[in-house]
Structures are given as structure tokens and as C-alpha cells.
Amino acid sequence: MIVMTRGINEKVASDKDFAMRVHKSLNRFMSSDWGDLDKEDWSKNSDSLQSLQKGEYGYILASYPDPKGGDKIWIIRDTEVTTVLFPNEY
């Protein structure tokens, strides 16, 4: 299941370019592209993905900055849900 926070949802509803950015970020996330993270976090995400695929506990964080300098998007996946949010909504 994929959910969005209220802030993301409101911006998606009012900004077509932002909605496309969220869509592209989700596509990157689904292909194991974790975005703007250091090597250690990429490695942790890869380990967590393997755990999640086995039905075990895992937690993945991805970060996608706006190339135009706007708001960064985070995508977080745990055993229950994948959430799209702004960092300040965490």
C-alpha cells in the first residue's frame, strides 16, 4: 500500500509538475534507486529490502531532492506501508 501525507497530497492536487515528480520518485524507489543518500544508507536499504521481500521486518528510506531547488521528497517503506512525505512531516 502506498500513502501520502496531507502535505504531499495537497501539493500533488495543486501542482501538476510536482505530481509528476512524485510519480517519477516512486518509480525510482520501486527500482531500488534510493536517491540522495550516502553509501552506508544505500547498503542498509539493500539489506532491508531483502528482509522485506522475505516477509521479515525492514525499513527503507529514500530521499529525492528537487533539481530546481524546491522541496525534497522522502519515501519510507516498512513492513506495512510505503509513505511519501516531506522531511518536515516525519
Side-chain angles (χ1 to χ4, degrees), residues 4 6-7 15 17 20-21 28-31 45 47 50 55 61 63 66-67 71 74 83-84:
M4 293 182 239
R6 176 175 285 167
D15 184 338
D17 290 336
M20 184 56 71
R21 225 179 100 219
R28 289 176 64 185
F29 185 83
M30 296 303 182
S31 64
N45 281 350
D47 292 343
Q50 290 178 2
L61 167 68
S63 178
D66 181 356
D71 295 319
W74 278 5
T83 306
V84 183

Side-chain angles (χ1 to χ4, degrees), residues 4-57:
M4 293 182 239
T5 59
R6 176 175 285 167
I8 293 286
N9 189 55
E10 288 174 355
K11 191 157 183 177
V12 162
S14 66
D15 184 338
K16 191 182 244 184
D17 290 336
F18 182 76
M20 184 56 71
R21 225 179 100 219
V22 169
H23 179 75
K24 288 179 181 179
S25 296
L26 281 165
N27 283 337
R28 289 176 64 185
F29 185 83
M30 296 303 182
S31 64
S32 301
D33 173 351
W34 315 127
D36 188 25
L37 299 177
D38 62 28
K39 289 179 183 180
E40 183 179 338
D41 288 331
W42 271 71
S43 179
K44 287 178 186 177
N45 281 350
S46 295
D47 292 343
S48 286
L49 179 60
Q50 290 178 2
S51 295
L52 288 165
Q53 289 172 336
K54 294 177 188 174
E56 300 169 353
Y57 177 78

